[in-house]
Amino acid sequence: MPTVTGKLRRRLLVPDDSEVTFDRRGFHSGDPMRQKHLEKTARQFLTGLRHGVENRSIQEMRSRLEEVERPYRGFAYEGAGMGVAVSDALAPWRRSRTRELLDGPGAPHVYMVYVGVGWAMARLPRPLWRGLALPDPLLRWLALDGYGFHEAYFATTRHVARHTPPRVRVPWADSSGYASRGVDQGIGRALWFVCGADVRRLADVVGDFPPARHADLWSGAGLAATYAGGVGDEDLALLVKLADRHGPSLAQGAAFAAKARVRADLVAPHTEAATRVLCGRTAAEAAAVTDEALEGLPPDGALPAFETWRERIRKALERT
């Protein structure tokens, strides 16, 4: 059951469902069915966030999250990742609920939980970031994806229309100068929502960004098209055509999404459709590419191991 403190945190930290409607956010609403689907994914994120900030135990949280419909359950775990991270940051003297989630019911959803921690970064004062649990040196880069998604979703004029890069400084990312690229993957993922899954509009919006940012934006778009879905084969094929030379980045994002859904046993028909068109593989095969790319992965160097991982995936999928 929610504690009194949990109810207070929920009141203070969880936006109302109206905050994630297209009308409220000013997103493109060309297709009513796509809009309805994408708004539902956002509401399920908020469902997970509520459970993350208010439930007494991780197991109680799990029972609530497992009630969410399978196609949307990963988004609920992403929200829960944000919720437990915020709770940890505000009560650092207590045992880490983020680690409990990662070591317990969140393990199959580890990618989504890390992205959720990035949402927490966007809502917390920067001095509190150092207390966030990001134990995996490879997957912690996904927190920057979550951070970028949040900024593009809630400050769309600044970060999408004006192309102002979000500022993010974390000790483990500053030395490589790579942080902005992880953030841009998240912005690209948010563009799927901002553009209402209208692939032509998305391509136009990406094209307006500085060219150096295009590859990472397309990577995020491929991730969202595969994980969130919302379009059919014809639009997916058009997405590949519009991505043009950034097709491998689009495919890399799709493979990440496939891995997240395969690991959590949440593969949906739209996942299979997207990996078939964007990667030329089934969801399981696309997920396997990400696993194979981890073999013998070198430690962080001039570029972080995370980028070496992505590059290997791009090259493997480019050969198909």
Side-chain angles (χ1 to χ4, degrees):
M1 293 292 291
T3 64
V4 173
T5 304
K7 289 181 179 178
L8 178 60
R9 283 199 301 263
R10 171 177 171 172
R11 228 177 267 124
L12 293 174
L13 298 172
V14 183
D16 185 81
D17 282 2
S18 63
E19 290 296 311
V20 296
T21 63
F22 275 34
D23 286 346
R24 176 69 180 86
R25 300 260 55 88
F27 294 168
H28 176 64
S29 55
D31 185 295
M33 293 303 294
R34 294 178 190 179
Q35 176 179 337
K36 182 179 179 180
H37 168 65
L38 294 176
E39 287 178 337
K40 185 171 182 177
T41 68
R43 289 197 304 274
Q44 297 311 315
F45 175 94
L46 294 182
T47 294
L49 175 57
R50 292 185 189 102
H51 294 316
V53 300
E54 73 178 14
N55 278 288
R56 186 186 303 276
S57 74
I58 293 296
Q59 290 307 317
E60 181 181 352
M61 188 192 312
R62 176 187 181 279
S63 68
R64 299 291 186 182
L65 295 172
E66 292 298 313
E67 294 174 356
V68 174
E69 296 172 70
R70 289 178 59 81
Y72 301 96
R73 195 175 298 162
F75 295 101
Y77 272 92
E78 181 182 352
M82 176 186 179
V84 294
V86 169
S87 298
D88 286 346
L90 297 179
W93 56 88
R94 299 176 61 184
R95 192 165 72 178
S96 171
R97 299 178 79 228
T98 306
R99 287 181 181 270
E100 282 189 78
L101 182 60
L102 286 169
D103 293 339
H109 308 273
V110 59
Y111 302 102
M112 305 306 288
V113 174
Y114 269 84
V115 170
V117 175
W119 278 72
M121 290 169 59
R123 290 295 175 107
L124 290 168
R126 296 193 182 206
L128 296 182
W129 288 9
R130 64 174 61 93
L132 295 174
L134 293 166
D136 189 312
L138 181 69
L139 297 185
R140 65 187 177 184
W141 291 95
L142 292 174
L144 299 184
D145 178 304
Y147 183 89
F149 185 102
H150 176 282
E151 296 299 89
Y153 194 95
F154 288 103
T156 310
T157 298
R158 176 177 174 81
H159 299 300
V160 176
R162 297 176 186 164
H163 309 143
T164 305
R167 291 184 177 182
V168 56
R169 290 182 62 85
V170 286
W172 45 268
D174 290 344
S175 61
S176 69
Y178 183 80
S180 61
R181 295 193 58 189
V183 170
D184 273 350
Q185 180 177 278
I187 292 175
R189 192 163 57 90
L191 291 181
W192 190 251
F193 291 76
V194 172
C195 298
D198 181 326
V199 297
R200 289 189 182 279
R201 188 179 185 90
L202 183 143
D204 287 343
V205 171
V206 170
D208 286 339
F209 277 80
R213 302 177 66 182
H214 289 182
D216 295 310
L217 295 171
W218 278 112
S219 172
L223 205 163
T226 306
Y227 198 94
V231 300
D233 284 6
E234 185 176 340
D235 279 307
L236 289 168
L238 179 59
L239 191 64
V240 174
K241 180 179 179 180
L242 295 172
D244 194 22
R245 66 187 183 89
H246 296 298
S249 293
L250 183 76
Q252 174 266 308
F256 265 15
K259 176 59 182 177
R261 283 202 173 268
V262 167
R263 180 183 173 110
D265 191 25
L266 294 177
V267 174
H270 70 254
T271 314
E272 292 287 6
T275 56
R276 183 179 66 251
V277 176
L278 305 187
C279 302
R281 288 169 163 80
T282 66
E285 290 167 345
V289 170
T290 72
D291 292 333
E292 292 161 6
L294 288 172
E295 295 177 9
L297 194 68
D300 291 347
L303 283 177
F306 184 78
E307 176 55 22
T308 303
W309 186 28
R310 295 173 75 207
E311 178 62 21
R312 287 180 174 186
I313 295 168
R314 287 192 290 267
K315 286 183 177 178
L317 294 174
E318 191 175 20
R319 292 195 292 267
T320 60

